Amino acid sequence: MLYEKLCRFSERIAGRTSRKFDDKDLQRAVKFLAPLMDITVRGVKAAANLLSVLVLLLLVFLLTFLELSLLIVASLAGMAAVVTYYIVVSYPVSMMNSYKLGLSEEADLVFEQFILVFQSGGTIFDAIEMVAQSDHPYLSKAFMQIIESINEGIPPETCLMEFAKDQPSDDLRRYFAAIISSLERKTELIDSLSGESFEADLALRQKNLELESRLLIVAALVTYLPIMVTLAVSLAGYATNVLILLVAPVFIVLNALLKSRFSRQFSAYFDRPRGSSIVAPSQQEIIAEYDAFLNFLILLGERLRMGDNLEVALTSIRDDLDFEIQRLVDIILEAIYRDYVSIGEAMEQASNAALGQRVAQMLNMIAIMCETSAQAAGDRLSRIATRLVKRSAVAKERDSIIAAQRMKVYLLTITSAAVLGMLASLSPFLFIGSLLSQGPIWTPGSITTFDILPLLVTLGITTLSTGYQNTRMVGGSRPIVIGLVCGFLFWISFALSSTLMGLG
């Protein structure tokens, strides 16, 4: 990872020069990210110092080369250095917080896994090993490190409590504390907990409430910032400077970063692709399988509660299932009746054929549940299905909010393209030197489009990128077409406005 390499490199070069800071959030984030990247607090601080100094020197050189005043150079370079330092030093904390919702969503299933292992007579090490082998995005890697610590002689209970202390998810800490407490006191507290991740539902609703405003802020920032820069360039008289072309990649990267951060922070929770195939299943296919699987859990739970075993229950509900899950049940039944394998092996075959990780994981858990008591498994599956259906409904609010805001983003993007075209035609005449003089220093026909070609190319590329990436951000169809529409609208607006202004 680039950030990890940067921290290591900076620690070797400037690590000794960085002072010792008592930043508890950063220390906690570094511990939390240990399964994902090898960084230290000193390395993060050194990277922030080094990169901010490099940005400061680079901007001072570039802005001085553009012959700007010392006050402007110092202000812009200092502000960029401070922003760079903040971004680098806060990245681990931001990354840790981004995992909070995912951990809360995984917490209840991890809790169920511990219960299953204890009910089948397993130990806490067996439960930790099961979680490590379950393909959880973060927890499996973290539990692999816990197993390494246990092999070095540290008690599993100590490892689990130390791990829980650094977790941003309150639900995860609550579950692990209950697990350790029930083991120490030899009680059934672990089985009396609801197993419901309240924090995940609350976080989803909170993000849905924030979604509309943040969506418009992101869209406005990437559309209005080029307008502000165009005005600044025009007033400074740099519309004809070839160095303006360097601004286009900056706008494109900024738009891409905001779009990816938006998509990552507000992604709807359904399920993740199970395999790492070259052509991964689409999100729509995963959602369809996940929704069908929730219906499957409800039907299966009812049959198991009535006294059927797993094999009979699957045969009974097969015709009532949607195609996405019916194909998995067919794999199970064919493996049992044609290949004469056990129900556990058949469920594992269906798990390998599932599109989503959670569906695959739950299929294996169902087989383990039914080994102890099919009727008790039915009760637990019904409770799991109820809370997953609620959470899926809350997560789907995101799509309805984005659908309502999609037209606003389209309108904002298209409007900014037209405004950029008009500003581009005015750029030669907005030079502050001519505005403060006794009159304009130009005559109609003396300035041509070729003179401001660097600015036109920069704004044209930026407009195409903004239209494309904003459409992708809100999940719109045909982003390339929207990008081309914005580009054509920019040039049409420029052509009409330049004709009125006498720009040849």
Side-chain angles (χ1 to χ4, degrees), residues 3-4 7-8 11 21-47 88-97 99 138 142 145 162-163 165-168:
Y3 184 84
E4 182 180 2
C7 291
R8 289 180 178 179
E11 187 174 11
F21 292 88
D22 187 17
D23 192 337
K24 295 183 179 179
D25 289 337
L26 181 59
Q27 292 174 358
R28 182 182 176 191
V30 168
K31 290 182 180 179
F32 173 82
L33 295 175
L36 304 178
M37 61 176 69
D38 184 16
I39 58 176
T40 62
V41 176
R42 186 178 294 274
V44 172
K45 295 290 185 179
V88 175
V89 81
S90 63
Y91 178 77
V93 178
S94 176
M95 191 172 181
M96 179 185 68
N97 292 333
Y99 275 94
Y138 167 82
Q145 285 196 347
E162 288 295 326
F163 171 76
K165 290 179 182 178
D166 299 322
Q167 300 309 305

Side-chain angles (χ1 to χ4, degrees), residues 309-315 328-350 367:
N309 60 31
L310 181 56
E311 179 181 336
V312 173
L314 290 174
T315 305
L328 299 179
V329 174
D330 288 340
I331 293 175
I332 299 172
L333 297 179
E334 288 179 5
I336 294 174
Y337 296 118
R338 187 185 63 187
D339 301 332
Y340 303 104
V341 301
S342 65
I343 185 66
E345 294 175 336
M347 294 290 283
E348 185 176 358
Q349 292 183 17

